[in-house]
Amino acid sequence: MNLTSIIKRPWQRGMIWLACNDGLRDRIENSDRLAAFAKRFVAGADLAAAKARADAFASENIVTSIYYLGEYVDSAELVEENVEGILAAIEYFGKTDLDWFVSVDPTQIGYSISGDLGWTNAQRISAAINALPNPAAHPFMVDMEDASVVPETIALFEQLLADGVPAALTLQTYLLRTADDFQRLAAQGASIRFVKGAFVANSRIAHTRKRDIDDAYLRIC
């Protein structure tokens, strides 16, 4: 299934375009003003910068989520670049004594092209995690993307668990289905990270008012 083909909202398409536009990314990284703004959300352009931010987090007893930017890609070359970046980060941070885990969007590792490619790359990442001295301490965190791919994302998480991979799952509490998903998965002992959710969705499937989103987050968590 081509996951990118079912993303319909203009706002979402715009944000995805911004995330994938190499030219715009270069302009931001080379602009002191824009780069300073981006640093509020992005640790840096290389592993050393990420390590420095992780060290700062560790001093405050904050666990680091390692994420290689590059979601919603639709070419095998970009997918491979993403996977190699993720594998390099696992190897690099695996040599530290930091408290960390790696976060992965399904579309960044090939699920936007085919399920087979995505699963092959998920297995590569899983193998790197399982090769660590203490893989359970550094789980494969499956990130959530837009609402249209929630079933496939949960299926990936469950497939990882079935393969014996230390995995965790992100759930977005703005979605109406999340309370039921949480109850089912928690009953199986799943490790779950909650976020409110940054995507736009209509009221048939999601809370749309900030107050309702906040209330859902507090109620489910």
Side-chain angles (χ1 to χ4, degrees), residues 9 13 30 46 48 52 75-76 80 115 130 146 199 203 206 211 220:
R9 286 187 170 270
R13 288 199 299 267
N30 292 317
D46 55 34
S75 78
E80 183 60 25
N130 279 331
D146 70 281
F199 291 92
S203 59
R211 184 176 66 184
I220 296 173

Side-chain angles (χ1 to χ4, degrees), residues 3-16:
L3 302 184
T4 58
S5 68
I6 51 181
I7 297 166
K8 299 177 180 178
R9 286 187 170 270
W11 182 87
Q12 289 180 347
R13 288 199 299 267
M15 292 302 291
I16 293 163

Side-chain angles (χ1 to χ4, degrees), residues 40-51:
R40 293 177 57 195
F41 308 100
V42 181
D46 55 34
L47 289 168
K51 169 67 162 51

Side-chain angles (χ1 to χ4, degrees), residues 121-144:
N121 287 325
Q123 289 177 303
R124 292 169 63 189
I125 295 167
S126 299
I129 292 171
N130 279 331
L132 296 171
N134 185 11
H138 309 291
F140 186 136
M141 176 65 71
V142 181
D143 275 342
M144 276 290 174

Side-chain angles (χ1 to χ4, degrees), residues 79-95:
V79 167
E80 183 60 25
E81 178 182 318
N82 287 341
V83 175
E84 289 179 358
I86 294 167
L87 294 175
I90 293 171
E91 180 181 6
Y92 184 90
F93 278 88
K95 298 174 182 177

Side-chain angles (χ1 to χ4, degrees), residues 7 14 23 39 48 60 73 75 86 104 142 156 165 177 197-198 200 206 210-211 218:
I7 297 166
K39 285 179 181 177
E60 301 178 44
V73 295
S75 78
I86 294 167
V104 178
V142 181
L156 168 60
V165 179
R177 62 171 289 165
V200 174
K210 183 180 184 302
R211 184 176 66 184
L218 293 173

